Amino acid sequence: MSVQSHTAAQQDLAATPEFPRHVVTAVLVAHDGARWLPDALAGLLGQERPVQYAVAADTGSADESSRLVADALGDERVLHLARRTGFGQAVEEATRTAPVLTPEELPYLRRPSGWDPVTRSWRDDAYDMPELPHGEPVQWLWLLHDDCAPEPDALAQLLRVVDTEYELGRDDVAVVGPKLRGWYDRRQLLEVGVSIANSGRRWTGLDRREQDQGQHDHVRTVLSVSTAGMLIRRDVFERLGGFDRRLPLMRDDVDLCWRAHAEGLRVLVAPEAVVRHAEAASRERRAVDCAGRTTASPHKVDKAGAVHTLLVNVRTAALPWVLLRIVLGTLLRTVAYLVGKVPGQALDEIRGLLSVLLRPERIIAGRRERGRPQVEKDELRPLFPPPGATVRATVEQVAGDLFGSSDAEAAAGAGRHGGGIESGPGGDDADFLEIEQFARLKRIARKPGPVLFLVLLLVSLAACRALLGGGALAGGALLPAPAGA
């Protein structure tokens, strides 16, 4: 693979690609991703519409990731960063080293010569063309994870959406994202755009383990798209200051796109562009060691990222209400996790919330950096979940915590898009859709504790129904109870 990949990386920059006006620099970040990198690199270098430049950043991988990207792209195109470097910081460092290709490096962008070597004559029509026949070049960054593999036409589909918008005179498109599918179950939908609820919940609008049947295949404006396959204008990325350094791994995509919307720019999803994503970090298939001095739980990192993203981006008038929603929602989820016998996630909920609230100076600094939004709140309202839409999802998640288990079936729906986080690395087969008869009864039989709690609670309420309302406790063994509070 290394010879072919290296040849592809050094492609002929004089050849005119599809959508020639758009100059794309691919930025791939690797971190212990040798398990998925061969497919990821093959997807990058096998694009029907190739990128003009590719650069990678390896953040102290302990496996063969560094060697794989160096063999594919060349040693000179690989940055070697510290292991605690976050995704956003790695992208910034790689972007800083990647050159901005101009018509001098890309001859096809300039007006062709008037001399025809075949007929050995001058062509007058060439002189009637403008100096830049395809228009002013537009620089793009294509962000890729080491655990995401784009389909061969993914970049072409992304650029087709951009080019169509530009032809219609809509040059305010700043970010375009693909449709994300599962790595193993290749028909499972993970994201077709993403939003965030006032409670901090990551909202995709998809049902659990929803299969792709073309039901979401229409281009539309969304609040955010994932960094796995995100295409963002380079000037917008630099103007926004890149990713928030306080978000080293998760929710950085929502924050960046939210800031783009606040600048009056648009974020689109292109469902015809498909990228498979393994979600290695959220499924705990590799350590999350960029969010502190020690390895952190992905649930805690995601919770802290959600709280920070909301508190620094919501409007000042809505800040007290959002803060109240976050605190109350955290308490309710903590109780649900405890009842569901998942104390680790209950602790992560509290730790994630406190890690943000106990550092108010970061929230103040973040709000000061963002300033006042340039768009009215009514313009952004349709991009967020409608009122009450998250209630059903919350009930389903609580039911999953009550009746779920830690076996492969529960692990199959884990991750950011499932009901919880895997408790450890699962087998690849756990990601395939499994349909079993009496699956819920089997889960209850394997984990009867939460069901027993609910049954005893209902029996107690029924037995003590006379005490509800005007009833009073009395008995010779009871001490007299005061009448007041």
Side-chain angles (χ1 to χ4, degrees):
M1 173 183 173
S2 60
V3 176
Q4 296 177 352
S5 300
H6 188 72
T7 302
Q10 306 293 338
Q11 59 179 301
D12 182 12
L13 295 181
T16 304
E18 192 177 10
F19 312 112
R21 179 183 182 183
H22 304 286
V23 181
V24 181
T25 299
V27 180
L28 187 147
V29 179
H31 182 85
D32 291 346
R35 177 178 175 183
W36 308 279
L37 265 174
D39 285 355
L41 290 168
L44 167 60
L45 299 175
Q47 288 298 301
E48 298 172 359
R49 196 285 189 189
V51 300
Q52 278 80 5
Y53 194 87
V55 62
D58 180 77
T59 57
S61 297
D63 57 9
E64 296 295 314
S65 297
S66 179
R67 180 186 62 80
L68 289 173
V69 292
D71 289 346
L73 304 180
D75 292 330
E76 70 281 359
R77 297 194 181 189
V78 180
L79 277 71
H80 301 277
L81 306 176
R83 188 167 179 85
R84 288 180 55 193
T85 306
F87 177 83
Q89 186 177 357
V91 170
E92 289 182 32
E93 294 295 334
T95 303
R96 190 175 295 113
T97 62
V100 178
L101 299 180
T102 63
E104 283 67 30
E105 290 86 16
L106 303 173
Y108 65 82
L109 291 175
R110 300 198 306 266
R111 180 178 58 193
S113 173
W115 173 253
D116 188 347
V118 177
T119 62
R120 300 184 62 81
S121 62
W122 295 94
R123 296 182 305 171
D124 295 336
D125 58 338
Y127 292 98
D128 296 333
M129 298 176 63
E131 183 64 26
L132 298 174
H134 304 294
E136 192 69 27
V138 184
Q139 303 286 338
W140 296 87
L141 298 174
W142 195 24
L143 310 185
L144 296 169
H145 300 185
D146 57 2
D147 63 341
C148 75
E151 295 295 315
D153 64 341
L155 181 57
Q157 295 293 349
L158 291 172
L159 292 178
R160 180 169 287 108
V161 170
V162 173
D163 209 58
T164 300
E165 294 294 321
Y166 273 53
E167 289 179 357
L168 296 174
R170 304 168 184 167
D171 57 355
D172 58 347
V173 177
V175 183
V176 184
K179 174 199 298 180
L180 294 187
R181 287 184 188 157
W183 184 269
Y184 302 105
D185 182 3
R186 302 190 178 190
R187 299 300 301 175
Q188 180 192 357
L189 283 173
L190 299 182
E191 288 182 10
V192 193
V194 67
S195 185
I196 187 172
N198 284 336
S199 61
R201 183 185 183 90
R202 189 177 180 88
W203 179 256
T204 63
L206 303 175
D207 294 330
R208 177 169 175 156
R209 300 203 60 85
E210 183 173 342
Q211 298 292 292
D212 186 10
Q213 299 175 340
Q215 65 272 34
H216 300 286
D217 286 359
H218 56 280
V219 179
R220 69 183 192 280
T221 302
V222 294
L223 177 67
S224 172
V225 294
S226 172
T227 52
M230 174 190 290
L231 186 70
I232 180 171
R233 262 173 41 197
R234 189 166 185 166
D235 63 316
V236 171
F237 183 81
E238 295 172 350
R239 189 203 316 172
L240 296 176
F243 293 99
D244 192 334
R245 292 290 185 93
R246 306 173 188 90
L247 298 171
L249 190 61
M250 298 179 179
R251 302 303 182 105
D252 49 353
D253 48 2
V254 177
D255 174 77
L256 180 68
C257 294
W258 196 339
R259 286 187 281 141
H261 279 292
E263 293 285 332
L265 303 170
R266 285 195 298 154
V267 178
L268 301 179
V269 62
E272 295 297 328
V274 177
V275 173
R276 294 188 293 117
H277 193 200
E279 297 182 302
S282 62
R283 291 178 180 270
E284 294 190 8
R285 291 195 172 108
R286 60 177 166 202
V288 178
D289 44 16
C290 62
R293 298 185 179 275
T294 59
T295 301
S297 163
H299 191 97
K300 172 184 175 296
V301 176
D302 184 70
K303 177 67 177 183
V307 176
H308 178 84
T309 299
L310 281 171
L311 295 185
V312 299
N313 286 291
V314 298
R315 296 177 181 270
T316 304
L319 185 59
W321 164 243
V322 171
L323 180 59
L324 178 63
R325 281 285 307 272
I326 291 174
V327 174
L328 291 179
T330 299
L331 295 177
L332 292 175
R333 279 189 292 272
T334 300
V335 173
Y337 284 133
L338 291 175
V339 173
K341 304 293 184 180
V342 198
Q345 293 193 17
L347 181 61
D348 289 338
E349 281 282 325
I350 299 297
R351 292 173 59 199
L353 176 65
L354 294 181
S355 65
V356 178
L357 296 186
L358 294 180
R359 302 292 298 273
E361 70 278 2
R362 293 188 174 187
I363 300 175
I364 296 174
R367 295 187 63 84
R368 186 181 300 114
E369 292 169 1
R370 284 152 181 79
R372 184 179 179 84
Q374 299 182 14
V375 296
E376 298 296 331
K377 62 179 181 180
D378 293 338
E379 296 183 33
L380 297 182
R381 184 173 298 168
L383 305 180
F384 294 88
T390 59
V391 175
R392 179 177 62 89
T394 301
V395 172
E396 291 178 354
Q397 181 175 357
V398 171
D401 294 331
L402 290 175
F403 304 115
S405 65
S406 58
D407 61 1
E409 186 179 355
R416 292 187 302 172
H417 312 285
I421 301 295
E422 281 183 343
S423 59
D428 293 354
D429 292 338
D431 291 273
F432 287 98
L433 181 63
E434 297 180 4
I435 302 177
E436 298 183 15
Q437 277 192 317
F438 310 114
R440 185 171 298 277
L441 293 178
K442 293 180 180 179
R443 289 197 296 269
I444 294 175
R446 284 192 292 262
K447 196 171 183 181
V451 180
L452 180 61
F453 171 82
L454 290 179
V455 171
L456 293 178
L457 179 62
L458 294 175
V459 171
S460 300
L461 291 176
C464 302
R465 61 186 181 277
L467 299 178
L468 301 177
L473 287 174
L478 293 177
L479 294 176

